Amino acid sequence: MAYEFKVVRSVEFHETDMAGIVHYSNFFRYMEVAEHGFFRSLGFSVVDHTQPRIGWPRVHAACDYLQPLRFEDQVEIHLLVSEMKSKALSYVFRFRKLNAAPPLEVARGKLTVVCVTHETDGKMKATPIPKVVADKIEVAPADLLK
Amino acid sequence: MAYEFKVVRSVEFHETDMAGIVHYSNFFRYMEVAEHGFFRSLGFSVVDHTQPRIGWPRVHAACDYLQPLRFEDQVEIHLLVSEMKSKALSYVFRFRKLNAAPPLEVARGKLTVVCVTHETDGKMKATPIPKVVADKIEVAPADLLK
Amino acid sequence: MAYEFKVVRSVEFHETDMAGIVHYSNFFRYMEVAEHGFFRSLGFSVVDHTQPRIGWPRVHAACDYLQPLRFEDQVEIHLLVSEMKSKALSYVFRFRKLNAAPPLEVARGKLTVVCVTHETDGKMKATPIPKVVADKIEVAPADLLK
Amino acid sequence: MAYEFKVVRSVEFHETDMAGIVHYSNFFRYMEVAEHGFFRSLGFSVVDHTQPRIGWPRVHAACDYLQPLRFEDQVEIHLLVSEMKSKALSYVFRFRKLNAAPPLEVARGKLTVVCVTHETDGKMKATPIPKVVADKIEVAPADLLK
């Protein structure tokens, strides 16, 4: 059972904006990269090829920005599972700039995703998280989520 | 004095992802486009050329996703000023898909930005919102923010 | 029959990079927005809902950059059909900054797309451009393509 | 002296579009990531902090697309220096999908960048590539560029 995952990225030029810092929308892309890495670490892909196809649309996303990130900064994205319901998962994310001494927390994020099936008419319908997935995931200890 | 702004966009192909819907990070770009349009509607640009340069970094951003948006959907982004402090502004955003009958609320967003000066060492420092700007902005009526 | 299409955009903040100018990759997004507008102007969408589904993957893209574009610049993207084969279309694009006196050419682009069907195994297969589409498109006069 | 650089990326979800493949504009971001990695491999950053600041705006970019890339594909971007002038550098790029047997060439790119100084009025002016940089770069052997 797993409740966390870490990934480190180097900030890329196209992720910056004219203010010289990572555009705030990109933190949500970083969160998703960590989420998908978490799934792969469990032996799954978020893109599932069974029928009916499972998907994980977002229902809530949030981020608190503490410090800017700049080009070539090394940022660690630390995913923690904060809640698990029958059809939904919530994560928190800690962003740390590693090329600072000591490493500096630069942002905190949250994401809630719902497990859905893609119906043949293109609609999405909430569905219980498959047991094979749910059995591998647990909520992180409370003190890590503070 | 103004407390709201609306902009309509047509969803572009590159804004979608392999799930066939607008990538969730792009809602934050839509919010910012509305914010910048709001500033222009007041006669300002968020990119200021006075010295020292003023900037508006984000300290908090959030979005609740109710329905997906797809390619060529017409989406109205409705910005409302929800709070004004001496150095910070908060907005809420209502996303409505106009090519639905009746128009369909698809998402709600929030953004808090802080007014800063860019110091010569590259650092940002919180500063009171210039009076010329603050004088043109007011908080939206409470019933619109519900 | 049509051989051209024009669209005007206002440069958005998230399209800039830390050099203070529109990131060069975004010119390719602008080209595609003009291409899709061209299709809509003919009464079609590039996203087709017939069976088997038609698609238009790119096989070649190029851009020459003459001048930078900055936040809030007004840029006109002028699409011209430069070649039409049974299964492929080529376009050239002229980018002009309208908030300059006189308007300033800032870039020139090229795009070649192929008409394909999406097979049930996910593969794409080149196919003749549907007659209903081809009948509405012609190559631009040579002097416009110089 | 160096004439090449390789980097491997895993395709991220947000890089795909509703056609289920990497959006064609993102190949240009991949090229730039390889270019910046090449610079770091030489001991430099493309973002220079000397005065006047040096920059490397693009004057030409092109890509030929042979095969699509999909989510979680492993793509190697192989940069080769194809030409060096006093004020300009040209690169070619080979994109290979590594999770294919044998690895599959999926695209070829080209990029020409010019060395500039950023003047105090915001304008950019072409300038000779600094000797300390030029001394570390050479053109790749002709047979590698075929």
Side-chain angles (χ1 to χ4, degrees):
Chain A
M1 301 240 284
Y3 58 75
E4 67 179 337
F5 185 77
K6 287 181 181 181
V7 61
V8 176
R9 293 173 70 93
S10 180
V11 171
E12 298 177 354
F13 193 84
H14 65 87
E15 296 171 341
T16 64
D17 60 34
M18 65 183 289
I21 63 178
V22 171
H23 191 263
Y24 83 115
S25 64
N26 289 326
F27 286 74
F28 294 95
R29 299 183 172 188
Y30 293 172
M31 289 184 212
E32 192 175 70
V33 168
E35 176 201 11
H36 293 178
F38 175 61
F39 262 65
R40 279 192 296 273
S41 76
L42 303 180
F44 304 111
S45 171
V46 288
V47 177
D48 168 87
H49 297 288
T50 56
Q51 288 300 334
R53 282 211 307 112
I54 295 282
W56 300 89
R58 280 86 253 275
V59 292
H60 179 71
C63 194
D64 290 297
Y65 304 90
L66 310 174
Q67 295 285 340
L69 283 174
R70 296 177 195 276
F71 179 55
E72 294 184 340
D73 277 347
Q74 300 299 307
V75 56
E76 176 193 84
I77 304 111
H78 183 184
L79 170 153
L80 291 154
V81 178
S82 58
E83 194 176 13
M84 184 160 57
K85 295 187 178 171
S86 69
K87 299 177 181 178
L89 278 170
S90 292
Y91 306 103
V92 299
F93 300 86
R94 304 278 160 74
F95 295 81
R96 289 200 312 155
K97 178 172 144 181
L98 299 184
N99 55 320
L104 183 66
E105 189 177 36
V106 294
R108 291 197 169 201
K110 284 185 193 174
L111 205 52
T112 298
V113 301
V114 171
C115 188
V116 301
T117 47
H118 291 281
E119 305 295 300
T120 48
D121 64 355
K123 296 252 170 91
M124 297 184 285
K125 191 183 162 188
T127 194
I129 298 171
K131 186 172 168 9
V132 66
V133 175
D135 282 355
K136 293 208 172 174
I137 298 176
E138 64 184 328
V139 171
D143 60 317
L144 288 183
L145 295 172
K146 270 185 285 195
Chain B
M1 301 239 284
Y3 59 74
E4 66 178 339
F5 185 75
K6 288 181 181 182
V7 62
V8 176
R9 293 174 70 93
S10 181
V11 171
E12 298 177 355
F13 192 85
H14 65 87
E15 296 171 340
T16 63
D17 60 34
M18 64 183 288
I21 62 179
V22 172
H23 192 263
Y24 84 114
S25 64
N26 288 327
F27 286 74
F28 293 95
R29 299 184 170 186
Y30 292 172
M31 290 184 211
E32 191 176 72
V33 168
E35 176 200 11
H36 293 178
F38 176 61
F39 262 66
R40 280 192 295 272
S41 77
L42 303 179
F44 303 111
S45 171
V46 288
V47 177
D48 168 86
H49 298 287
T50 56
Q51 290 299 334
R53 283 211 305 116
I54 295 283
W56 300 89
R58 280 87 254 273
V59 293
H60 179 71
C63 194
D64 290 297
Y65 304 90
L66 310 173
Q67 295 285 339
L69 283 174
R70 296 176 196 277
F71 179 55
E72 293 183 343
D73 277 347
Q74 300 299 308
V75 56
E76 176 193 83
I77 304 111
H78 183 184
L79 170 153
L80 291 154
V81 177
S82 58
E83 195 176 13
M84 185 161 55
K85 295 186 178 172
S86 68
K87 300 177 180 179
L89 278 170
S90 293
Y91 307 102
V92 299
F93 299 87
R94 304 279 160 73
F95 294 81
R96 287 199 315 153
K97 178 172 143 180
L98 299 184
N99 56 319
L104 183 66
E105 189 177 35
V106 294
R108 291 197 169 201
K110 285 185 193 174
L111 205 52
T112 299
V113 302
V114 171
C115 188
V116 301
T117 47
H118 291 281
E119 305 295 301
T120 48
D121 63 356
K123 295 253 170 91
M124 297 184 284
K125 190 182 161 186
T127 195
I129 298 171
K131 187 173 167 10
V132 67
V133 175
D135 281 355
K136 293 208 172 175
I137 298 175
E138 64 184 329
V139 171
D143 60 317
L144 287 183
L145 295 171
K146 268 185 287 192
Chain C
M1 300 239 284
Y3 59 74
E4 66 179 339
F5 185 75
K6 287 181 181 179
V7 62
V8 176
R9 293 172 69 93
S10 181
V11 171
E12 298 177 356
F13 192 85
H14 64 88
E15 295 171 341
T16 63
D17 60 34
M18 64 183 290
I21 63 179
V22 172
H23 191 263
Y24 84 114
S25 64
N26 288 327
F27 286 74
F28 294 95
R29 299 184 172 186
Y30 293 172
M31 289 185 211
E32 191 175 71
V33 168
E35 176 199 12
H36 293 178
F38 175 61
F39 262 67
R40 280 191 295 271
S41 77
L42 304 179
F44 303 111
S45 171
V46 288
V47 177
D48 168 87
H49 298 288
T50 56
Q51 289 300 332
R53 283 211 305 115
I54 295 282
W56 300 89
R58 281 86 254 275
V59 293
H60 180 70
C63 193
D64 290 297
Y65 304 89
L66 309 173
Q67 295 285 341
L69 283 174
R70 296 176 196 277
F71 179 55
E72 293 183 344
D73 277 347
Q74 300 299 308
V75 56
E76 176 193 83
I77 303 111
H78 183 185
L79 170 153
L80 291 155
V81 179
S82 58
E83 193 177 15
M84 184 161 56
K85 295 186 178 173
S86 68
K87 300 178 181 178
L89 278 170
S90 293
Y91 306 103
V92 300
F93 299 86
R94 304 277 162 73
F95 295 80
R96 288 200 314 154
K97 179 172 142 179
L98 300 184
N99 55 319
L104 183 65
E105 190 177 34
V106 295
R108 290 198 169 201
K110 284 185 193 173
L111 205 52
T112 299
V113 302
V114 171
C115 188
V116 301
T117 47
H118 290 281
E119 305 295 300
T120 47
D121 64 355
K123 295 251 169 91
M124 298 184 284
K125 191 183 161 188
T127 194
I129 299 171
K131 188 174 169 1
V132 66
V133 175
D135 282 354
K136 293 208 171 173
I137 299 176
E138 64 184 327
V139 171
D143 61 316
L144 288 182
L145 295 171
K146 269 185 286 193
Chain D
M1 300 241 284
Y3 59 74
E4 67 179 339
F5 185 75
K6 287 182 181 180
V7 61
V8 176
R9 293 173 69 93
S10 180
V11 170
E12 298 177 354
F13 192 85
H14 65 87
E15 295 171 342
T16 64
D17 60 34
M18 64 183 290
I21 63 178
V22 171
H23 192 262
Y24 84 115
S25 64
N26 289 326
F27 286 75
F28 295 95
R29 300 185 171 187
Y30 293 172
M31 289 185 211
E32 192 176 70
V33 168
E35 176 200 11
H36 293 179
F38 175 61
F39 262 66
R40 279 191 296 271
S41 76
L42 304 179
F44 303 111
S45 171
V46 288
V47 177
D48 168 86
H49 297 288
T50 56
Q51 288 301 331
R53 282 210 307 114
I54 295 281
W56 300 90
R58 281 85 253 276
V59 293
H60 180 70
C63 194
D64 289 296
Y65 304 90
L66 309 173
Q67 295 286 340
L69 282 174
R70 296 176 196 278
F71 178 56
E72 293 183 342
D73 277 348
Q74 300 298 308
V75 56
E76 176 194 83
I77 304 111
H78 183 184
L79 170 152
L80 291 154
V81 178
S82 58
E83 194 176 13
M84 184 161 57
K85 295 186 178 172
S86 69
K87 299 178 181 178
L89 277 170
S90 293
Y91 306 103
V92 299
F93 299 86
R94 304 278 161 74
F95 294 81
R96 288 200 313 155
K97 179 172 142 180
L98 299 185
N99 55 320
L104 183 65
E105 189 177 36
V106 294
R108 290 197 170 203
K110 285 185 193 173
L111 205 52
T112 299
V113 302
V114 171
C115 187
V116 301
T117 48
H118 291 281
E119 305 295 301
T120 48
D121 64 355
K123 295 253 170 90
M124 298 184 283
K125 191 182 161 188
T127 194
I129 299 171
K131 188 173 166 11
V132 66
V133 175
D135 282 355
K136 292 208 173 173
I137 298 176
E138 64 184 328
V139 171
D143 60 317
L144 288 182
L145 295 172
K146 267 185 287 193

